[in-house]
Amino acid sequence: MNEDQIRIMRAIFCEELSISEEELLDSTAYNELEAWDSLTHLKIVSRIEEAFSIELEVDDIIGMENFGKAKDIVGRYIIG
Amino acid sequence: MNFVEFLFASCRESEECFISGVKERVSHRELYERVERTSKWISKRYGSGKEFLLLADNSVFFVVSYLSLMRSGNIPLLVETRVSKEELSALMSFCRPVGAFMQQRLSAKAVAGLPLVTESDMPEEDVEDLRPQVGRDDLAAVVFTSGSTGTKKGVMITHGNLIANTTSIIEYLELTSRDRMMVVLPFYYCYGASLLHTHLRVGGSITISNSIFLGAVLDEIERYQCTGFAGVPSTYQILINRSDLLQRRFSSLRYMTQAGGKLEPRYIQMIVDSLPNIRFFVMYGATEATARMSYLPPEMVRTRTASIGKGIPGVHLEVLGEDGRPVRPGETGEIVATGDNIMRGYYGDEEGTRAVLKDGKYHTGDLATVDEDGYIYVVGRAKDIIKCAGYRVSPYEIENLIASMEGVDTVAVVSKPDEILGEAIVAVVRRKDGAEADAVRTTIFRECRRSLPSYKNPSYVVFLDEMPLNSSNKIDKVRLRQMLAEGELNDR
């Protein structure tokens, strides 16, 4: 993932989770933040798919349980 | 009879698994022992007839707390876990709780002055039994659900209500001890709770799934060999649109149920076409009726696809016109229910209770027609409520929040059909002079995300110059929904 792509990912997560750039860490995880519930997760997934014109597989949507993993998973789609 | 004794009547010595899932597992006997121990402990410490907040996700902790409170003759106050700390405090100051059973994870929402019981506080040893006898008419639980004014209403359910509804549901779904339900719906919601009740009563079992993404449930149904699955419209829409549900073959699943709002017939069609061996039950209910009021026999799902069926055993369901008489086929009236499952009333709200309980009948506020054979078709709601992702959402609360934002002159919140959410929330806004569309939209999205749980967030913000008004000079929401459907509202 290049810097532009990471910036897009960060913006989506910060907006949907209502947190600042500083608060978003690679370790920021599902269920640790009240705002990151399964419905928000689906919104994040839709926005990522739209932003990068990709379609995430079920197992990958399940795997994106923290921001770091989400970057790794989405990165594979962009390179592929 | 105490509802919890009724639930454990036949299966309390069984070593068979009752709750399974990725995180936890407990047998019937073990659950019974934990409920016995905990309910005695509660009685000794607090007595009976007291109210307790219960705030927890689906877990063994929820089940043990919930059943123990009722078993000891106390009353759990059930609230959705996404409630804000402020709203929860306000709600509790309206009730008389003496304690709170709360998952550690949610303890940041603890209410000042309420002693907290979390997972680690549950008793390990037996104390003497001081539990009182509880009758059918005694209050068993208060379930908080969104009302149309934005404040939550506490639905008062008795032991008798729960026994009646559980018995009816078991009968028409033909549940047995061989049944295992895959549970994705929360137990604090009446539909989720009914899954727990019915499967405990028949000596069956449940599997709890709390995955980050609903799509995970398909593998889990197979892994745990579930025989049943229950969802609200958005559950099925998410699975159809975002997973391979329709291509799956399940080795154990015998039926699916759907309630909690209208699932569009085309989705029902897709499911029954793709999964012909799985019986699909369309159902209708309300917290005010404990859970269930009607079902459509699966054999009719193809011929009467848009129908909610007829009353379940023990529930008399009719559609009444304004004159109080049953409507003729094709006419529209209100769905009215009679049965032992109808709530005692709303907590601390006699006026609200009188508005819906008349002559022992529950007036649902749902508008419907009937066909020649008496099958009921819901056509609308008299109350201003949106059902987003299975949750009841009051537009009023969101309107109040948005109305105070910069650049907003007037706002009306309505819904439109959505592929994923069932109904998506739309904020229709008249801007103040000079306010820019993009800036206003950004503010609304940002502030709503900050203040509201995910399911109350608008998916769309659209603008217009003049709100349409109805004959009583209020914003005409029917017209707004029409304008949305016809693409007359835009994002500028």
Side-chain angles (χ1 to χ4, degrees), chain A residues 15 18 34 37 41 49, chain B residues 82 109 212 242 449 454:
Chain A
E15 273 182 43
S18 294
E34 168 105 276
D37 60 11
H41 191 65
E49 290 183 331
Chain B
R82 290 296 315 269
K109 295 182 184 183
I212 186 170
R242 300 258 22 167
R449 279 195 205 107
S454 53

Side-chain angles (χ1 to χ4, degrees), chain A residues 10-78:
Chain A
R10 293 190 74 85
I12 292 172
F13 274 80
C14 288
E15 273 182 43
E16 290 298 334
L17 302 177
S18 294
I19 56 174
S20 66
E21 289 273 337
E22 296 76 51
E23 286 172 284
L24 181 67
L25 309 172
D26 279 358
S27 60
T28 301
Y30 171 73
N31 250 340
E32 176 190 299
L33 287 174
E34 168 105 276
W36 193 347
D37 60 11
S38 60
L39 207 56
T40 305
H41 191 65
L42 216 50
K43 276 195 189 167
I44 291 173
V45 166
S46 300
R47 285 189 61 181
I48 289 172
E49 290 183 331
E50 203 172 311
F52 299 112
S53 300
I54 56 174
E55 202 171 313
L56 292 158
E57 299 283 333
V58 170
D59 287 346
D60 289 327
I61 300 174
I62 297 167
M64 290 164 52
E65 58 191 26
N66 65 38
F67 181 63
K69 286 188 181 173
K71 275 191 302 188
D72 292 345
I73 288 170
V74 175
R76 292 204 303 268
Y77 282 78
I78 296 173

Side-chain angles (χ1 to χ4, degrees), chain B residues 233-248:
Chain B
S234 67
T235 313
Y236 290 103
Q237 290 181 231
I238 291 170
L239 288 174
I240 289 172
N241 288 309
R242 300 258 22 167
S243 82
D244 59 352
L245 169 72
L246 301 180
Q247 284 78 49
R248 287 279 175 138

